[in-house]
Amino acid sequence: GENVEQHPSTLSVQEGDSAVIKCTYSDSASNYFPWYKQELGKRPQLIIDIRSNVGEKKDQRIAVTLNKTAKHFSLHITETQPEDSAVYFCAASISSGSARQLTFGSGTQLTVLP
Amino acid sequence: DTAVSQTPKYLVTQMGNDKSIKCEQNLGHDTMYWYKQDSKKFLKIMFSYNNKELIINETVPNRFSPKSPDKAHLNLHINSLELGDSAVYFCASSRTHRGSEAFFGQGTRLTVV
C-alpha cells in the first residue's frame, strides 16, 4: 500500500549543529507534506508544512525541501537547541478513495546534546 | 480554548471490558480522525469521518466502533478489550478531507491489564 518512509529513526546532534530528517513517499498524487513535533507525553503539533507547488519553505530555523520527481522531502533544523529534542514525524496526504489521509512516517527521535 | 479535546486522558481497564473515548473539536472542521500510537511511537490512522460520514476505515478489528453524532464529535467505543489494545489514542480534526493540517487532541493513554 501507500506509505511514507522516514530516516533516521534516532538522531543525536550537538547544540548549535544542524539536523536533517528525510522522508520518501510512494503516492505520486500526494500534494501536502506536513512535519509534526511531538514532545514527550504531548500531542503531535505542526511545525511546518509544504504543498506540492513549491520546492522549499523556511520558517526561522526550520526549513523543508520537496523533490516531487524523486518523491522525497526533508526537514532541516539549524542552530539546534535543547528544546528541539523531541520526536519528529513527516507525513504525506495519501489518496484513500475519495479522501486523502495523512499517512505518517515512523518518527525520528532527535536529541540535542548541550 | 482547547481546540480538540478528548476524554479521558488516562484509562486503565481489565481485559474483556468495554470502554469509550470521547472527542470534541470547536474549530468548525469538517473532518475528524482517530489515530493509534503504539509503544514504538508509530502513528497509524484508524478512522476518518467527514461531516458525520465514515470515509476512511483502515484495517481495524470490528471491536472498535466509531460514532459521530455531529461533525464536532467523534467518539470511539472499544468492545472486549485485549492486551494489544494498550496504546495512546489520538483524536484529530482537519478543515477538509482532501489533505490539510491535522490538529490533535491531547491523547488518551489506554492500558489494558
Side-chain angles (χ1 to χ4, degrees):
Chain A
E2 304 292 355
N3 62 4
V4 177
E5 294 191 358
Q6 181 172 347
H7 300 280
S9 56
T10 61
L11 179 59
S12 292
V13 298
Q14 289 294 136
E15 183 176 358
D17 287 351
S18 295
V20 180
I21 303 170
K22 299 182 179 182
C23 289
T24 60
Y25 61 97
S26 55
D27 182 359
S28 56
S30 294
N31 58 4
Y32 177 63
F33 307 91
W35 286 87
Y36 284 80
K37 176 183 180 183
Q38 186 179 24
E39 296 177 351
L40 188 63
K42 301 286 182 65
R43 73 190 78 191
Q45 291 194 291
L46 182 78
I47 54 171
I48 194 168
D49 56 12
I50 190 168
R51 294 200 176 269
S52 57
N53 56 349
V54 298
E56 185 173 358
K57 184 176 179 181
K58 191 173 181 181
D59 182 4
Q60 298 182 340
R61 297 186 296 108
I62 295 173
V64 58
T65 58
L66 171 65
N67 183 327
K68 282 186 63 180
T69 304
K71 289 191 279 188
H72 66 68
F73 55 114
S74 301
L75 177 72
H76 304 253
I77 307 174
T78 58
E79 300 172 29
T80 52
Q81 301 167 3
E83 52 265 38
D84 294 331
S85 296
V87 179
Y88 290 81
F89 292 94
C90 64
S93 61
I94 305 292
S95 179
S96 178
S98 62
R100 303 196 72 79
Q101 67 183 57
L102 279 184
T103 297
F104 285 83
S106 52
T108 297
Q109 173 70 62
L110 172 65
T111 303
V112 179
L113 304 169
Chain B
D1 277 346
T2 302
V4 182
S5 60
Q6 56 184 103
T7 56
K9 188 171 181 180
Y10 299 98
L11 187 51
V12 181
T13 188
Q14 290 188 322
M15 283 176 56
N17 283 351
D18 303 339
K19 290 293 178 185
S20 293
I21 307 171
K22 295 186 175 182
C23 180
E24 175 182 5
Q25 55 96 2
N26 63 6
L27 297 167
H29 287 168
D30 286 344
T31 308
M32 295 185 72
Y33 313 86
W34 279 107
Y35 283 87
K36 179 180 180 181
Q37 187 170 45
D38 60 25
S39 57
K40 295 184 179 179
K41 301 295 186 184
F42 191 65
L43 269 169
K44 183 167 172 56
I45 192 166
M46 302 171 68
F47 303 101
S48 174
Y49 272 70
N50 188 60
N51 279 319
K52 301 191 300 177
E53 290 190 16
L54 180 67
I55 56 171
I56 293 173
N57 184 353
E58 291 296 311
T59 307
V60 176
N62 57 15
R63 298 181 294 103
F64 291 78
S65 53
K67 282 189 172 54
S68 183
D70 55 62
K71 76 172 193 176
H73 295 83
L74 180 61
N75 304 322
L76 183 65
H77 189 75
I78 315 170
N79 289 328
S80 303
L81 278 156
E82 300 177 357
L83 292 176
D85 297 332
S86 296
V88 180
Y89 292 84
F90 284 100
C91 175
S93 73
S94 63
R95 190 171 50 84
T96 75
H97 65 289
R98 301 295 298 167
S100 56
E101 178 185 356
F103 291 79
F104 285 84
Q106 76 270 33
T108 296
R109 181 174 293 278
L110 172 64
T111 304
V112 182
V113 297

